[in-house]
PDB file of all heavy atoms in Angstrom:
ATOM      1  N   SER X   1       2.181   6.186 -14.906  1.00  0.00           N
ATOM      2  CA  SER X   1       1.124   6.320 -15.882  1.00  0.00           C
ATOM      3  C   SER X   1       0.847   7.786 -16.219  1.00  0.00           C
ATOM      4  O   SER X   1       1.380   8.683 -15.508  1.00  0.00           O
ATOM      5  CB  SER X   1      -0.189   5.739 -15.280  1.00  0.00           C
ATOM      6  OG  SER X   1      -0.030   4.339 -14.950  1.00  0.00           O
ATOM      7  N   GLN X   2       0.145   8.039 -17.210  1.00  0.00           N
ATOM      8  CA  GLN X   2      -0.251   9.371 -17.662  1.00  0.00           C
ATOM      9  C   GLN X   2      -0.938  10.115 -16.497  1.00  0.00           C
ATOM     10  O   GLN X   2      -1.907   9.545 -15.933  1.00  0.00           O
ATOM     11  CB  GLN X   2      -1.168   9.334 -18.874  1.00  0.00           C
ATOM     12  CG  GLN X   2      -1.590  10.720 -19.432  1.00  0.00           C
ATOM     13  CD  GLN X   2      -2.718  10.573 -20.390  1.00  0.00           C
ATOM     14  OE1 GLN X   2      -3.473   9.622 -20.411  1.00  0.00           O
ATOM     15  NE2 GLN X   2      -2.714  11.525 -21.265  1.00  0.00           N
ATOM     16  N   PRO X   3      -0.439  11.233 -16.093  1.00  0.00           N
ATOM     17  CA  PRO X   3      -1.043  11.885 -14.832  1.00  0.00           C
ATOM     18  C   PRO X   3      -2.575  12.110 -15.041  1.00  0.00           C
ATOM     19  O   PRO X   3      -3.304  12.035 -14.070  1.00  0.00           O
ATOM     20  CB  PRO X   3      -0.244  13.237 -14.807  1.00  0.00           C
ATOM     21  CG  PRO X   3       1.165  12.819 -15.369  1.00  0.00           C
ATOM     22  CD  PRO X   3       0.755  11.927 -16.518  1.00  0.00           C
ATOM     23  N   ARG X   4      -2.971  12.481 -16.261  1.00  0.00           N
ATOM     24  CA  ARG X   4      -4.400  12.784 -16.398  1.00  0.00           C
ATOM     25  C   ARG X   4      -5.249  11.533 -16.117  1.00  0.00           C
ATOM     26  O   ARG X   4      -6.315  11.537 -15.560  1.00  0.00           O
ATOM     27  CB  ARG X   4      -4.709  13.340 -17.814  1.00  0.00           C
ATOM     28  CG  ARG X   4      -6.104  13.756 -18.036  1.00  0.00           C
ATOM     29  CD  ARG X   4      -6.266  14.381 -19.467  1.00  0.00           C
ATOM     30  NE  ARG X   4      -5.398  15.521 -19.734  1.00  0.00           N
ATOM     31  CZ  ARG X   4      -5.442  16.282 -20.674  1.00  0.00           C
ATOM     32  NH1 ARG X   4      -6.533  16.174 -21.572  1.00  0.00           N
ATOM     33  NH2 ARG X   4      -4.625  17.222 -20.864  1.00  0.00           N
ATOM     34  N   LEU X   5      -4.733  10.367 -16.615  1.00  0.00           N
ATOM     35  CA  LEU X   5      -5.397   9.134 -16.384  1.00  0.00           C
ATOM     36  C   LEU X   5      -5.456   8.749 -14.912  1.00  0.00           C
ATOM     37  O   LEU X   5      -6.436   8.374 -14.327  1.00  0.00           O
ATOM     38  CB  LEU X   5      -4.722   8.022 -17.123  1.00  0.00           C
ATOM     39  CG  LEU X   5      -5.161   6.580 -16.887  1.00  0.00           C
ATOM     40  CD1 LEU X   5      -6.667   6.384 -17.115  1.00  0.00           C
ATOM     41  CD2 LEU X   5      -4.368   5.544 -17.660  1.00  0.00           C
ATOM     42  N   MET X   6      -4.311   9.039 -14.204  1.00  0.00           N
ATOM     43  CA  MET X   6      -4.241   8.743 -12.759  1.00  0.00           C
ATOM     44  C   MET X   6      -5.249   9.611 -12.010  1.00  0.00           C
ATOM     45  O   MET X   6      -5.956   9.122 -11.051  1.00  0.00           O
ATOM     46  CB  MET X   6      -2.840   9.078 -12.271  1.00  0.00           C
ATOM     47  CG  MET X   6      -1.741   8.104 -12.845  1.00  0.00           C
ATOM     48  SD  MET X   6      -0.076   8.587 -12.344  1.00  0.00           S
ATOM     49  CE  MET X   6      -0.151   8.073 -10.678  1.00  0.00           C
ATOM     50  N   ALA X   7      -5.349  10.857 -12.467  1.00  0.00           N
ATOM     51  CA  ALA X   7      -6.331  11.764 -11.773  1.00  0.00           C
ATOM     52  C   ALA X   7      -7.721  11.329 -11.957  1.00  0.00           C
ATOM     53  O   ALA X   7      -8.544  11.271 -10.980  1.00  0.00           O
ATOM     54  CB  ALA X   7      -6.097  13.168 -12.277  1.00  0.00           C
ATOM     55  N   ARG X   8      -8.055  10.878 -13.137  1.00  0.00           N
ATOM     56  CA  ARG X   8      -9.391  10.559 -13.478  1.00  0.00           C
ATOM     57  C   ARG X   8      -9.765   9.178 -12.691  1.00  0.00           C
ATOM     58  O   ARG X   8     -10.864   8.940 -12.211  1.00  0.00           O
ATOM     59  CB  ARG X   8      -9.632  10.288 -14.897  1.00  0.00           C
ATOM     60  CG  ARG X   8      -9.733  11.630 -15.664  1.00  0.00           C
ATOM     61  CD  ARG X   8      -9.909  11.491 -17.070  1.00  0.00           C
ATOM     62  NE  ARG X   8     -10.161  12.807 -17.731  1.00  0.00           N
ATOM     63  CZ  ARG X   8     -10.084  13.020 -19.046  1.00  0.00           C
ATOM     64  NH1 ARG X   8      -9.780  12.059 -19.848  1.00  0.00           N
ATOM     65  NH2 ARG X   8     -10.409  14.193 -19.557  1.00  0.00           N
ATOM     66  N   MET X   9      -8.744   8.257 -12.573  1.00  0.00           N
ATOM     67  CA  MET X   9      -8.991   7.013 -11.870  1.00  0.00           C
ATOM     68  C   MET X   9      -9.218   7.258 -10.343  1.00  0.00           C
ATOM     69  O   MET X   9     -10.072   6.665  -9.694  1.00  0.00           O
ATOM     70  CB  MET X   9      -7.870   6.092 -12.165  1.00  0.00           C
ATOM     71  CG  MET X   9      -7.842   5.467 -13.519  1.00  0.00           C
ATOM     72  SD  MET X   9      -6.488   4.308 -13.760  1.00  0.00           S
ATOM     73  CE  MET X   9      -6.988   2.912 -12.643  1.00  0.00           C
ATOM     74  N   LEU X  10      -8.447   8.190  -9.786  1.00  0.00           N
ATOM     75  CA  LEU X  10      -8.584   8.502  -8.430  1.00  0.00           C
ATOM     76  C   LEU X  10      -9.880   9.174  -8.186  1.00  0.00           C
ATOM     77  O   LEU X  10     -10.475   8.865  -7.117  1.00  0.00           O
ATOM     78  CB  LEU X  10      -7.446   9.395  -7.962  1.00  0.00           C
ATOM     79  CG  LEU X  10      -6.091   8.810  -7.909  1.00  0.00           C
ATOM     80  CD1 LEU X  10      -4.989   9.904  -7.666  1.00  0.00           C
ATOM     81  CD2 LEU X  10      -5.957   7.744  -6.798  1.00  0.00           C
ATOM     82  N   SER X  11     -10.397   9.898  -9.123  1.00  0.00           N
ATOM     83  CA  SER X  11     -11.770  10.499  -8.957  1.00  0.00           C
ATOM     84  C   SER X  11     -12.838   9.306  -9.029  1.00  0.00           C
ATOM     85  O   SER X  11     -13.800   9.368  -8.223  1.00  0.00           O
ATOM     86  CB  SER X  11     -12.035  11.443 -10.059  1.00  0.00           C
ATOM     87  OG  SER X  11     -13.324  11.981 -10.032  1.00  0.00           O
ATOM     88  N   GLU X  12     -12.639   8.401  -9.960  1.00  0.00           N
ATOM     89  CA  GLU X  12     -13.580   7.229 -10.040  1.00  0.00           C
ATOM     90  C   GLU X  12     -13.533   6.403  -8.858  1.00  0.00           C
ATOM     91  O   GLU X  12     -14.597   5.800  -8.460  1.00  0.00           O
ATOM     92  CB  GLU X  12     -13.170   6.346 -11.257  1.00  0.00           C
ATOM     93  CG  GLU X  12     -13.434   6.930 -12.617  1.00  0.00           C
ATOM     94  CD  GLU X  12     -14.835   6.669 -13.132  1.00  0.00           C
ATOM     95  OE1 GLU X  12     -15.603   6.056 -12.294  1.00  0.00           O
ATOM     96  OE2 GLU X  12     -15.142   7.013 -14.218  1.00  0.00           O
ATOM     97  N   LEU X  13     -12.440   6.385  -8.063  1.00  0.00           N
ATOM     98  CA  LEU X  13     -12.406   5.610  -6.819  1.00  0.00           C
ATOM     99  C   LEU X  13     -13.496   6.189  -5.834  1.00  0.00           C
ATOM    100  O   LEU X  13     -14.049   5.362  -4.923  1.00  0.00           O
ATOM    101  CB  LEU X  13     -11.076   5.587  -6.218  1.00  0.00           C
ATOM    102  CG  LEU X  13     -10.132   4.481  -6.679  1.00  0.00           C
ATOM    103  CD1 LEU X  13      -8.846   4.607  -5.777  1.00  0.00           C
ATOM    104  CD2 LEU X  13     -10.735   3.077  -6.467  1.00  0.00           C
ATOM    105  N   ASP X  14     -13.629   7.446  -5.848  1.00  0.00           N
ATOM    106  CA  ASP X  14     -14.559   8.148  -4.922  1.00  0.00           C
ATOM    107  C   ASP X  14     -14.306   7.829  -3.458  1.00  0.00           C
ATOM    108  O   ASP X  14     -15.190   7.343  -2.743  1.00  0.00           O
ATOM    109  CB  ASP X  14     -16.050   7.727  -5.296  1.00  0.00           C
ATOM    110  CG  ASP X  14     -17.047   8.607  -4.582  1.00  0.00           C
ATOM    111  OD1 ASP X  14     -16.791   9.736  -4.294  1.00  0.00           O
ATOM    112  OD2 ASP X  14     -18.263   8.128  -4.461  1.00  0.00           O
ATOM    113  N   VAL X  15     -13.124   8.046  -3.060  1.00  0.00           N
ATOM    114  CA  VAL X  15     -12.715   7.674  -1.606  1.00  0.00           C
ATOM    115  C   VAL X  15     -13.272   8.827  -0.644  1.00  0.00           C
ATOM    116  O   VAL X  15     -13.606   9.913  -1.059  1.00  0.00           O
ATOM    117  CB  VAL X  15     -11.159   7.660  -1.474  1.00  0.00           C
ATOM    118  CG1 VAL X  15     -10.586   6.549  -2.288  1.00  0.00           C
ATOM    119  CG2 VAL X  15     -10.504   8.964  -1.838  1.00  0.00           C
ATOM    120  N   ASP X  16     -13.410   8.400   0.583  1.00  0.00           N
ATOM    121  CA  ASP X  16     -13.627   9.435   1.596  1.00  0.00           C
ATOM    122  C   ASP X  16     -12.475   9.276   2.660  1.00  0.00           C
ATOM    123  O   ASP X  16     -11.637   8.465   2.465  1.00  0.00           O
ATOM    124  CB  ASP X  16     -15.021   9.280   2.341  1.00  0.00           C
ATOM    125  CG  ASP X  16     -15.238   7.922   2.899  1.00  0.00           C
ATOM    126  OD1 ASP X  16     -14.282   7.331   3.483  1.00  0.00           O
ATOM    127  OD2 ASP X  16     -16.366   7.385   2.928  1.00  0.00           O
ATOM    128  N   ASP X  17     -12.608  10.118   3.716  1.00  0.00           N
ATOM    129  CA  ASP X  17     -11.470  10.051   4.682  1.00  0.00           C
ATOM    130  C   ASP X  17     -11.206   8.794   5.350  1.00  0.00           C
ATOM    131  O   ASP X  17     -10.067   8.553   5.870  1.00  0.00           O
ATOM    132  CB  ASP X  17     -11.660  11.201   5.721  1.00  0.00           C
ATOM    133  CG  ASP X  17     -11.597  12.597   5.070  1.00  0.00           C
ATOM    134  OD1 ASP X  17     -11.115  12.681   3.986  1.00  0.00           O
ATOM    135  OD2 ASP X  17     -12.082  13.574   5.743  1.00  0.00           O
ATOM    136  N   THR X  18     -12.142   7.849   5.393  1.00  0.00           N
ATOM    137  CA  THR X  18     -12.076   6.674   6.125  1.00  0.00           C
ATOM    138  C   THR X  18     -11.674   5.435   5.215  1.00  0.00           C
ATOM    139  O   THR X  18     -11.565   4.354   5.666  1.00  0.00           O
ATOM    140  CB  THR X  18     -13.339   6.366   6.924  1.00  0.00           C
ATOM    141  OG1 THR X  18     -14.412   6.078   5.975  1.00  0.00           O
ATOM    142  CG2 THR X  18     -13.649   7.454   7.805  1.00  0.00           C
ATOM    143  N   SER X  19     -11.632   5.662   3.900  1.00  0.00           N
ATOM    144  CA  SER X  19     -11.504   4.557   2.914  1.00  0.00           C
ATOM    145  C   SER X  19     -10.081   3.846   3.150  1.00  0.00           C
ATOM    146  O   SER X  19      -9.064   4.533   3.310  1.00  0.00           O
ATOM    147  CB  SER X  19     -11.571   5.050   1.479  1.00  0.00           C
ATOM    148  OG  SER X  19     -12.773   5.650   1.201  1.00  0.00           O
ATOM    149  N   ARG X  20     -10.154   2.526   3.073  1.00  0.00           N
ATOM    150  CA  ARG X  20      -8.976   1.656   3.153  1.00  0.00           C
ATOM    151  C   ARG X  20      -8.818   1.145   1.679  1.00  0.00           C
ATOM    152  O   ARG X  20      -9.666   0.524   1.126  1.00  0.00           O
ATOM    153  CB  ARG X  20      -9.101   0.537   4.112  1.00  0.00           C
ATOM    154  CG  ARG X  20      -9.277   0.981   5.582  1.00  0.00           C
ATOM    155  CD  ARG X  20      -9.254  -0.166   6.555  1.00  0.00           C
ATOM    156  NE  ARG X  20      -7.924  -0.657   6.777  1.00  0.00           N
ATOM    157  CZ  ARG X  20      -7.475  -1.892   6.347  1.00  0.00           C
ATOM    158  NH1 ARG X  20      -8.389  -2.707   5.688  1.00  0.00           N
ATOM    159  NH2 ARG X  20      -6.291  -2.262   6.558  1.00  0.00           N
ATOM    160  N   VAL X  21      -7.683   1.385   1.162  1.00  0.00           N
ATOM    161  CA  VAL X  21      -7.358   1.240  -0.310  1.00  0.00           C
ATOM    162  C   VAL X  21      -6.292   0.256  -0.470  1.00  0.00           C
ATOM    163  O   VAL X  21      -5.249   0.234   0.132  1.00  0.00           O
ATOM    164  CB  VAL X  21      -7.040   2.554  -1.069  1.00  0.00           C
ATOM    165  CG1 VAL X  21      -6.793   2.284  -2.533  1.00  0.00           C
ATOM    166  CG2 VAL X  21      -8.227   3.528  -0.857  1.00  0.00           C
ATOM    167  N   LEU X  22      -6.473  -0.757  -1.448  1.00  0.00           N
ATOM    168  CA  LEU X  22      -5.455  -1.623  -1.945  1.00  0.00           C
ATOM    169  C   LEU X  22      -5.127  -1.262  -3.425  1.00  0.00           C
ATOM    170  O   LEU X  22      -6.069  -1.300  -4.221  1.00  0.00           O
ATOM    171  CB  LEU X  22      -5.851  -3.115  -1.858  1.00  0.00           C
ATOM    172  CG  LEU X  22      -5.074  -4.119  -2.573  1.00  0.00           C
ATOM    173  CD1 LEU X  22      -3.619  -4.173  -1.976  1.00  0.00           C
ATOM    174  CD2 LEU X  22      -5.758  -5.460  -2.518  1.00  0.00           C
ATOM    175  N   GLU X  23      -3.860  -0.996  -3.608  1.00  0.00           N
ATOM    176  CA  GLU X  23      -3.426  -0.703  -4.956  1.00  0.00           C
ATOM    177  C   GLU X  23      -2.705  -1.900  -5.530  1.00  0.00           C
ATOM    178  O   GLU X  23      -1.835  -2.534  -4.899  1.00  0.00           O
ATOM    179  CB  GLU X  23      -2.448   0.481  -5.080  1.00  0.00           C
ATOM    180  CG  GLU X  23      -1.911   0.679  -6.404  1.00  0.00           C
ATOM    181  CD  GLU X  23      -0.681   1.590  -6.407  1.00  0.00           C
ATOM    182  OE1 GLU X  23       0.054   1.501  -5.433  1.00  0.00           O
ATOM    183  OE2 GLU X  23      -0.495   2.346  -7.412  1.00  0.00           O
ATOM    184  N   ILE X  24      -3.105  -2.447  -6.725  1.00  0.00           N
ATOM    185  CA  ILE X  24      -2.523  -3.609  -7.320  1.00  0.00           C
ATOM    186  C   ILE X  24      -1.520  -3.136  -8.355  1.00  0.00           C
ATOM    187  O   ILE X  24      -1.959  -2.560  -9.406  1.00  0.00           O
ATOM    188  CB  ILE X  24      -3.516  -4.540  -7.959  1.00  0.00           C
ATOM    189  CG1 ILE X  24      -4.646  -4.859  -6.988  1.00  0.00           C
ATOM    190  CG2 ILE X  24      -2.844  -5.830  -8.489  1.00  0.00           C
ATOM    191  CD1 ILE X  24      -4.249  -5.748  -5.830  1.00  0.00           C
ATOM    192  N   GLY X  25      -0.181  -3.253  -8.140  1.00  0.00           N
ATOM    193  CA  GLY X  25       0.760  -2.744  -9.060  1.00  0.00           C
ATOM    194  C   GLY X  25       1.447  -1.481  -8.534  1.00  0.00           C
ATOM    195  O   GLY X  25       1.257  -0.371  -8.937  1.00  0.00           O
ATOM    196  N   THR X  26       2.435  -1.678  -7.651  1.00  0.00           N
ATOM    197  CA  THR X  26       3.106  -0.599  -7.019  1.00  0.00           C
ATOM    198  C   THR X  26       3.846   0.320  -8.016  1.00  0.00           C
ATOM    199  O   THR X  26       3.885   1.557  -7.960  1.00  0.00           O
ATOM    200  CB  THR X  26       4.133  -1.103  -5.905  1.00  0.00           C
ATOM    201  OG1 THR X  26       3.440  -1.891  -4.996  1.00  0.00           O
ATOM    202  CG2 THR X  26       4.732   0.096  -5.131  1.00  0.00           C
ATOM    203  N   GLY X  27       4.535  -0.360  -8.917  1.00  0.00           N
ATOM    204  CA  GLY X  27       5.411   0.268  -9.922  1.00  0.00           C
ATOM    205  C   GLY X  27       6.366   1.261  -9.329  1.00  0.00           C
ATOM    206  O   GLY X  27       7.114   0.911  -8.462  1.00  0.00           O
ATOM    207  N   THR X  28       6.316   2.514  -9.726  1.00  0.00           N
ATOM    208  CA  THR X  28       7.275   3.517  -9.250  1.00  0.00           C
ATOM    209  C   THR X  28       6.952   3.916  -7.770  1.00  0.00           C
ATOM    210  O   THR X  28       7.769   4.466  -7.102  1.00  0.00           O
ATOM    211  CB  THR X  28       7.293   4.752 -10.078  1.00  0.00           C
ATOM    212  OG1 THR X  28       6.029   5.443 -10.022  1.00  0.00           O
ATOM    213  CG2 THR X  28       7.561   4.405 -11.555  1.00  0.00           C
ATOM    214  N   GLY X  29       5.725   3.767  -7.357  1.00  0.00           N
ATOM    215  CA  GLY X  29       5.271   4.237  -6.063  1.00  0.00           C
ATOM    216  C   GLY X  29       4.585   5.627  -6.078  1.00  0.00           C
ATOM    217  O   GLY X  29       4.047   6.029  -5.001  1.00  0.00           O
ATOM    218  N   TYR X  30       4.492   6.250  -7.199  1.00  0.00           N
ATOM    219  CA  TYR X  30       3.930   7.559  -7.283  1.00  0.00           C
ATOM    220  C   TYR X  30       2.421   7.551  -6.935  1.00  0.00           C
ATOM    221  O   TYR X  30       1.954   8.449  -6.194  1.00  0.00           O
ATOM    222  CB  TYR X  30       4.156   8.145  -8.654  1.00  0.00           C
ATOM    223  CG  TYR X  30       3.521   9.541  -8.914  1.00  0.00           C
ATOM    224  CD1 TYR X  30       3.715  10.593  -8.063  1.00  0.00           C
ATOM    225  CD2 TYR X  30       2.725   9.742 -10.045  1.00  0.00           C
ATOM    226  CE1 TYR X  30       3.169  11.833  -8.295  1.00  0.00           C
ATOM    227  CE2 TYR X  30       2.233  11.005 -10.302  1.00  0.00           C
ATOM    228  CZ  TYR X  30       2.375  12.018  -9.413  1.00  0.00           C
ATOM    229  OH  TYR X  30       1.785  13.254  -9.663  1.00  0.00           O
ATOM    230  N   ASN X  31       1.715   6.546  -7.527  1.00  0.00           N
ATOM    231  CA  ASN X  31       0.176   6.542  -7.180  1.00  0.00           C
ATOM    232  C   ASN X  31      -0.010   6.221  -5.695  1.00  0.00           C
ATOM    233  O   ASN X  31      -0.959   6.836  -5.067  1.00  0.00           O
ATOM    234  CB  ASN X  31      -0.451   5.544  -8.100  1.00  0.00           C
ATOM    235  CG  ASN X  31      -1.914   5.650  -8.099  1.00  0.00           C
ATOM    236  OD1 ASN X  31      -2.463   6.653  -8.514  1.00  0.00           O
ATOM    237  ND2 ASN X  31      -2.658   4.637  -7.709  1.00  0.00           N
ATOM    238  N   ALA X  32       0.767   5.382  -5.176  1.00  0.00           N
ATOM    239  CA  ALA X  32       0.723   5.071  -3.713  1.00  0.00           C
ATOM    240  C   ALA X  32       1.049   6.322  -2.890  1.00  0.00           C
ATOM    241  O   ALA X  32       0.370   6.611  -1.850  1.00  0.00           O
ATOM    242  CB  ALA X  32       1.678   3.982  -3.272  1.00  0.00           C
ATOM    243  N   ALA X  33       1.871   7.180  -3.351  1.00  0.00           N
ATOM    244  CA  ALA X  33       2.166   8.457  -2.633  1.00  0.00           C
ATOM    245  C   ALA X  33       0.967   9.376  -2.683  1.00  0.00           C
ATOM    246  O   ALA X  33       0.628   9.967  -1.687  1.00  0.00           O
ATOM    247  CB  ALA X  33       3.355   9.098  -3.282  1.00  0.00           C
ATOM    248  N   LEU X  34       0.308   9.464  -3.872  1.00  0.00           N
ATOM    249  CA  LEU X  34      -0.853  10.303  -3.907  1.00  0.00           C
ATOM    250  C   LEU X  34      -2.025   9.750  -2.987  1.00  0.00           C
ATOM    251  O   LEU X  34      -2.605  10.639  -2.271  1.00  0.00           O
ATOM    252  CB  LEU X  34      -1.430  10.295  -5.372  1.00  0.00           C
ATOM    253  CG  LEU X  34      -0.482  10.881  -6.417  1.00  0.00           C
ATOM    254  CD1 LEU X  34      -0.943  10.614  -7.820  1.00  0.00           C
ATOM    255  CD2 LEU X  34      -0.344  12.444  -6.232  1.00  0.00           C
ATOM    256  N   LEU X  35      -2.150   8.573  -2.980  1.00  0.00           N
ATOM    257  CA  LEU X  35      -3.186   7.946  -2.106  1.00  0.00           C
ATOM    258  C   LEU X  35      -2.895   8.216  -0.649  1.00  0.00           C
ATOM    259  O   LEU X  35      -3.762   8.474   0.164  1.00  0.00           O
ATOM    260  CB  LEU X  35      -3.380   6.428  -2.386  1.00  0.00           C
ATOM    261  CG  LEU X  35      -4.133   6.091  -3.690  1.00  0.00           C
ATOM    262  CD1 LEU X  35      -3.847   4.607  -3.998  1.00  0.00           C
ATOM    263  CD2 LEU X  35      -5.622   6.327  -3.439  1.00  0.00           C
ATOM    264  N   SER X  36      -1.609   7.941  -0.261  1.00  0.00           N
ATOM    265  CA  SER X  36      -1.156   8.171   1.121  1.00  0.00           C
ATOM    266  C   SER X  36      -1.289   9.589   1.529  1.00  0.00           C
ATOM    267  O   SER X  36      -1.675   9.844   2.733  1.00  0.00           O
ATOM    268  CB  SER X  36       0.316   7.682   1.253  1.00  0.00           C
ATOM    269  OG  SER X  36       0.424   6.285   0.990  1.00  0.00           O
TER     270      SER X  36
END
């Protein structure tokens, strides 16, 4: 996905250090790498 969109969505998630996240749609794996 467009990096700017990915960044804004990750901001919208509003995670903290303890958050457990499920991503629907692994795709290339890049977003999962950012989350990990």
Side-chain angles (χ1 to χ4, degrees):
S1 303
Q2 181 190 29
R4 187 176 305 193
L5 171 60
M6 297 174 71
R8 287 179 171 165
M9 288 182 65
L10 291 170
S11 177
E12 287 273 4
L13 272 186
D14 191 26
V15 298
D16 60 35
D17 291 347
T18 65
S19 298
R20 300 186 73 249
V21 177
L22 169 61
E23 177 197 34
I24 309 293
T26 307
T28 66
Y30 178 51
N31 197 58
L34 296 169
L35 285 164
S36 298

